[in-house]
Amino acid sequence: MLSTGITPAVNVTRSADAQWLIRAAAQTGIPARALQAYVAAAGVANESAPTCGIGWNTVAAVGFIESAHGSYGGGRLTTTGQASGPIIGPSLNGDGFAAIPDTDAGALDGDALWDHAVGPMQFIPSTWQHAGRDGNGDGDADPFNIDDAALSAASYLCANGRDLTTARGWTDAIYSYNQSDAYVAQVHDRARAYAAQSGPTG
């Protein structure tokens, strides 16, 4: 397990001022529109759950692994944070993946037989039903919008009173998102890289 190898430095918190966003986007390769959403999501999640301490770079690492920041399949994020095309994962039909029968009559993923993870943060429709948040204030929780998806992911990771400034709390949070030690390791390495690449946060 990674719990002994994760330090609080895996999380970096800050506010998103314009100059830092431009610089950090260039240094990390994260599209500025996605980075803005990750930083905002971490801030709102920490306001709602002050003991969480989630860092923007943790949210960004999940976003990279799940959809390359909304660019999976050759897409991109619009200026409003919307994925330019639907980001829909493989059928969760038990063939190489978990078997999850349809839970939303195909409303989000277009499949009325099996569920698929959707959007830039790859939420399963049944999870989105209880975890989906409106991150951009338009009155709608849309898993294909990076503001909504990032806030939903950050809030999901902060759930159950987790403290992501501790190694155990951070590991448990990421494991809850995807129950794979390899996934936890990928997120950890990417989050650490983003922290180092983005430079000082003060």
Side-chain angles (χ1 to χ4, degrees):
M1 288 297 293
L2 294 170
S3 58
T4 57
I6 296 173
T7 67
V10 79
N11 260 340
V12 178
T13 57
R14 65 161 294 111
S15 59
D17 62 83
Q19 286 188 335
W20 180 86
L21 271 174
I22 293 169
R23 186 179 73 248
Q27 292 170 333
T28 60
I30 302 171
R33 187 61 186 81
L35 182 57
Q36 176 186 346
Y38 300 143
V39 174
V44 172
N46 286 327
E47 288 176 8
S48 299
T51 61
C52 178
I54 191 170
W56 67 265
N57 57 317
T58 292
V59 185
V62 172
F64 172 79
I65 292 165
E66 295 294 349
S67 72
H69 310 303
S71 68
Y72 177 79
R76 61 178 181 80
L77 297 174
T78 68
T79 56
T80 62
Q82 206 69 20
S84 62
I87 301 172
I88 299 175
S91 174
L92 299 177
N93 60 8
D95 184 11
F97 301 93
I100 304 178
D102 175 69
T103 60
D104 69 337
L108 292 176
D109 55 22
D111 187 344
L113 185 60
W114 299 100
D115 267 350
H116 300 242
V118 299
M121 303 304 275
Q122 288 290 278
F123 276 93
I124 297 169
S126 58
T127 303
W128 185 259
Q129 288 172 14
H130 69 82
R133 302 285 184 270
D134 176 12
N136 60 6
D138 68 354
D140 179 43
D142 179 359
F144 296 100
N145 180 275
I146 190 63
D147 297 314
D148 295 358
L151 177 58
S152 300
S155 300
Y156 185 89
L157 293 169
C158 287
N160 301 315
R162 294 190 187 100
D163 178 357
L164 272 67
T165 67
T166 68
R168 179 61 182 270
W170 191 93
T171 301
D172 287 350
I174 304 303
Y175 194 78
S176 77
Y177 208 88
N178 187 324
Q179 296 179 2
S180 159
D181 289 344
Y183 182 85
V184 174
Q186 286 181 303
V187 174
H188 173 261
D189 290 348
R190 180 62 58 167
R192 291 290 291 269
Y194 283 153
Q197 292 165 351
S198 63
T201 61

